Amino acid sequence: DAKTTQPTSMDCAEGRAANLPCNHSTISGNEYVYWYRQIHSQGPQYIIHGLKNNETNEMASLIITEDRKSSTLILPHATLRDTAVYYCIVRPLNTGFQKLVFGTGTRLLVSP
Amino acid sequence: NAGVTQTPKFRILKIGQSMTLQCAQDMNHNYMYWYRQDPGMGLKLIYYSVGAGITDKGEVPNGYNVSRSTTEDFPLRLELAAPSQTSVYFCASSYSRTDSYEQYFGPGTRLTVT
């Protein structure tokens, strides 16, 4: 699976958009970009995933560059409850078995 | 649905003791996983199972054993606990469909070995 690089930490003001970058320059053509988050002491939670098109759901938006070497997770209106560690993971979707390789992620702190 | 449940929530073990961490899911998922998370680090896969009776090693299996006698349950056994096994343990499950994309995690078991 491709390796990902994320900033260690980021800050965001409540109500503003949080833009979390991820570099995955060695991504293969069949690999998807996944985002999970882990709120303090809880199990990780799936947020969103995508292949090459931008994706949006009720939680977030995912913007993937045209060359697919990087992506950005956008939380459009961050709240205090969005304070968490965010993990960017790359893996093939065409395998039912999901061996997720977690890095150290980005610690997002949302402040009032 | 209760989702993925884990017991106990907390446990303190003495070096050399053994214990079983319980994990159950009620979503009829074929795939189940055990991860450990050391302080400040990401999760690492210990063992996984693709169905009842089938298990395999992940990234860090040493010191652990698993069994999968039913679809619902996937216990993790620690034999001869060591301080290096102090960690938070997460169980997870997912569908076996190739279009499945979400892994569901339990709340974790915080284990301290002293």
Side-chain angles (χ1 to χ4, degrees), chain A residues 32 34 36-49 57 85 87 91-105 107, chain B residues 31-33 35 37 40-45 48-50 58-59 88 90 93-108 110:
Chain A
Y32 286 67
Y34 283 75
Y36 278 74
R37 74 179 182 183
Q38 186 175 22
I39 296 171
H40 181 61
S41 297
Q42 298 180 20
Q45 175 191 24
Y46 165 85
I47 301 173
I48 198 168
H49 76 285
N57 63 19
V85 178
Y87 298 99
R91 66 168 288 271
L93 183 62
N94 62 348
T95 59
F97 168 58
Q98 301 176 9
K99 181 180 176 183
L100 298 179
V101 179
F102 288 83
T104 52
R107 187 173 299 275
Chain B
Y31 293 169
M32 296 188 74
Y33 316 78
Y35 294 88
Q37 184 175 33
M41 305 297 289
L43 282 71
K44 293 187 177 180
L45 184 64
Y48 65 94
S49 169
V50 299
E59 187 181 355
V88 181
F90 290 101
S93 69
S94 66
Y95 286 108
S96 57
R97 301 192 312 264
T98 54
D99 63 345
S100 165
Y101 54 82
E102 184 172 356
Q103 200 164 122
Y104 298 80
F105 286 82
R110 188 174 299 273

Side-chain angles (χ1 to χ4, degrees), chain A:
Chain A
D1 292 346
K3 182 178 173 60
T4 62
T5 304
Q6 300 177 250
T8 303
S9 63
M10 295 184 66
D11 295 324
C12 180
E14 189 178 20
R16 303 299 292 266
N19 299 294
L20 289 86
C22 180
N23 182 286
H24 32 79
S25 58
T26 59
I27 193 170
S28 303
N30 69 336
E31 289 182 314
Y32 286 67
V33 180
Y34 283 75
W35 284 83
Y36 278 74
R37 74 179 182 183
Q38 186 175 22
I39 296 171
H40 181 61
S41 297
Q42 298 180 20
Q45 175 191 24
Y46 165 85
I47 301 173
I48 198 168
H49 76 285
L51 181 62
K52 55 184 178 180
N53 298 320
N54 298 338
E55 302 287 345
T56 296
N57 63 19
E58 65 277 5
M59 290 182 69
S61 295
L62 175 60
I63 309 298
I64 301 174
T65 58
E66 193 168 342
D67 64 7
R68 304 210 321 121
K69 292 180 186 278
S70 66
S71 60
T72 301
L73 178 75
I74 301 172
L75 308 178
H77 305 287
T79 71
L80 300 180
R81 288 175 293 181
D82 291 321
T83 291
V85 178
Y86 287 78
Y87 298 99
C88 171
I89 299 168
V90 172
R91 66 168 288 271
L93 183 62
N94 62 348
T95 59
F97 168 58
Q98 301 176 9
K99 181 180 176 183
L100 298 179
V101 179
F102 288 83
T104 52
T106 296
R107 187 173 299 275
L108 176 68
L109 176 63
V110 181
S111 303

